[in-house]
Amino acid sequence: MVLLLTIACPATPPTDSEGTSPAEELTYYRDVKPILDRSCVRCHTDAGTAPSFADPLSVQALSAAISSYVQAGTMPPAAPDPACHDYENSDRYVLASANRETLLGWAEGGAALGDPSTQVDGPGVIPSIGPFDAELRGEPYQPEFGNDGNDYRCFALPVGNAGAVYLTGLEALVDRPEIVHHVVLFRPSSVSDSQRVPEGFSCSGFGQSDWSVVGAWASGGTPLTFPEGAGVPVEAGAELILQMHYFNSFEGADQIADQSGYGLLVADSVEREVSTMPFGPTGFSIPGESEAYEVTDRSRYRGADVDIVAAFPHMHQAGVGFHMTVESDPEQCVVDMNGWYFHNQLLPVFSDPVELKSGDRVSTTCVYDNPEAGAVSFGEETGDEMCFGFVWVVPSE
Ligand code: HEC
């Protein structure tokens, strides 16, 4: 570059042969927009939790910030590494290195907008699995945020099934994404009258110990569909618990009423029942002022041979890494995350299942930073910590 500049006569504008031609310059419309569409706008929209990328001029104004966040690896937020075990739409969650180079090169080269007629659009939103056989939705609810900006609210909602059925597909129906950080659907062992109220009930952390997770969603999360002929059993007249995590990130957020829910695909019978199992250490404590503190559980699985079709890593705010493997021969990587962003809790649905056989050990490791003086202990409140790898399994064929 320096050499080219010294050769070029200051009076003559650069020509194509000098490598500074507008045709080779990275531009927003042609080079950057498709990458942002693919990897960023699930959160950075007008109706999202992050500053909108809808206006080209505001993206241009953010180019230095884009460069520094991308360089630091904080954006896009950490997601499971597809090199460990590939999952559906992983190319949306992990920035390919060529795309990373393009974003950095564009910002360094002056962040030109380019010619709108050259605009390239990236992939659109992930398609819905609807029309649904059933929809779970409560009454509109206006969050009551605590001082930390959070409101965890649970609603007991009837599936409306007269007989036993199976859920073969689940999709979060997020009404007001600008205030919704995540949604979890649980199957409780029982529901009390005090929980069966239209305004729902407060349920901080990860629900109650007798609830098992059925579905989960965070910004851009994919619908959960099970392999052909497999489904989660739901008894006649069942109620499920919809847990909403609302977050107060802008002026007026507390004036919004949300009516999110879940769309369900339902079958009367299936060949294979889907169940969920939690793995991970409990009852641990993270010492104060610790960095990269690891807790691990290695449980031996005893049960029928199964295929793991999806997994949901779960920690709270102190998490910085998550690793899950099946210690079979050869070892199978299930989820590997270096980094953790509490507001990006994804549920990878595996392209190929992971085999789990009776006698295999499942190793679950969580890594935490705790800069505070006091210890952080295991618990369900947001200020406590958890380390769970929930897996969705079907009996092997
Ligand atoms: C899972 C949601 C999510 C995804 C995906 C995401 N971001 Fe973000 N981003 C956020 C949130 C939330 C904030 C605001 C809070 C913060 O700064 O951490 C943010 C902030 C930023 C900021 C700072 C904006 C400012 O006003 O200073 C930049 C720059 C940024 N993101 C770039 C990106 C880029 C580039 C991508 C895609 C390659 C991306 N983000 C993908 C959620 C996301």
Side-chain angles (χ1 to χ4, degrees):
M1 260 337 259
V2 175
L3 188 66
L4 289 177
L5 287 173
T6 42
I7 297 169
C9 167
T12 25
T15 64
D16 282 358
S17 60
E18 284 173 313
T20 47
S21 121
E24 289 174 26
E25 180 181 48
L26 293 168
T27 69
Y28 166 79
Y29 284 109
R30 194 191 51 210
D31 307 297
V32 168
K33 183 173 188 295
I35 300 172
L36 302 182
D37 285 355
R38 180 184 293 277
S39 303
C40 316
V41 302
R42 68 188 170 96
C43 301
H44 289 269
T45 55
D46 287 336
T49 48
S52 173
F53 284 172
D55 169 28
L57 286 171
S58 47
V59 175
Q60 189 180 42
L62 278 174
S63 65
I66 291 177
S67 171
S68 66
Y69 278 66
V70 166
Q71 219 148 14
T74 44
M75 286 288 153
D81 183 355
C84 158
H85 204 94
D86 199 14
Y87 56 97
E88 287 176 15
N89 298 299
S90 58
D91 63 337
R92 306 262 185 134
Y93 303 121
V94 177
L95 192 60
S97 60
N99 291 347
R100 187 174 183 275
E101 294 312 314
T102 301
L103 292 182
L104 298 179
W106 172 71
E108 276 152 29
L113 288 182
D115 178 355
S117 72
T118 63
Q119 175 168 324
V120 177
D121 295 321
V125 291
I126 290 162
S128 168
I129 57 169
F132 301 106
D133 301 310
E135 265 186 43
L136 295 176
R137 248 187 235 275
E139 296 297 316
Y141 170 73
Q142 197 168 316
E144 290 169 21
F145 297 111
N147 291 337
D148 59 358
N150 294 298
D151 182 10
Y152 289 87
R153 201 81 192 166
C154 282
F155 304 89
L157 303 172
V159 178
N161 54 324
V165 293
Y166 297 86
L167 309 181
T168 57
L170 303 115
E171 180 176 340
L173 304 173
V174 178
D175 178 26
R176 302 301 299 263
E178 66 272 42
I179 57 166
V180 174
H181 259 155
H182 54 257
V183 185
V184 183
L185 190 65
F186 293 100
R187 196 167 50 146
S189 61
S190 65
V191 173
S192 68
D193 281 342
S194 64
Q195 294 175 330
R196 209 175 272 125
V197 286
E199 67 275 22
F201 56 99
S202 167
C203 57
S204 76
F206 206 67
Q208 297 175 2
S209 52
D210 68 320
W211 297 356
S212 66
V213 64
V214 182
W217 177 93
S219 285
T222 36
L224 178 58
T225 46
F226 301 117
E228 188 68 32
V232 178
V234 169
E235 69 278 17
E239 289 160 290
L240 298 178
I241 302 280
L242 178 78
Q243 182 192 48
M244 301 298 306
H245 174 199
Y246 296 109
F247 189 68
N248 185 2
S249 58
F250 57 94
E251 185 85 28
D254 57 352
Q255 300 304 310
I256 292 172
D258 174 73
Q259 197 177 12
S260 295
Y262 248 92
L264 307 175
L265 299 184
V266 174
D268 290 335
S269 66
V270 293
E271 284 121 49
R272 298 193 288 167
E273 286 195 4
V274 175
S275 51
T276 55
M277 295 189 249
F279 287 99
T282 55
F284 55 85
S285 171
I286 306 156
E289 294 172 16
S290 54
E291 226 181 274
Y293 183 81
E294 286 191 12
V295 296
T296 297
D297 173 69
R298 291 174 66 240
S299 299
R300 200 176 284 286
Y301 171 71
R302 292 280 180 215
D305 295 353
V306 290
D307 289 340
I308 300 176
V309 294
F312 181 57
H314 182 74
M315 300 183 283
H316 294 167
Q317 316 264 14
V320 293
F322 183 94
H323 312 282
M324 189 175 197
T325 53
V326 173
E327 296 180 352
S328 46
D329 186 18
E331 185 169 282
Q332 300 171 87
C333 193
V334 184
V335 176
D336 194 21
M337 292 181 70
N338 291 304
W340 173 256
Y341 183 62
F342 185 66
H343 302 302
N344 188 40
Q345 303 201 26
L346 299 172
L347 194 171
V349 179
F350 299 122
S351 316
D352 290 311
V354 177
E355 289 175 14
L356 178 60
K357 296 202 156 62
S358 187
D360 288 344
R361 276 191 192 277
V362 178
S363 162
T364 312
T365 298
C366 291
V367 189
Y368 301 97
D369 281 353
N370 177 17
E372 307 299 325
V376 173
S377 46
F378 177 85
E380 285 167 2
E381 302 286 323
T382 327
D384 302 330
E385 265 307 333
M386 283 195 154
C387 175
F388 278 123
F390 293 91
V391 295
W392 279 249
V393 302
V394 295
S396 350
E397 278 179 309

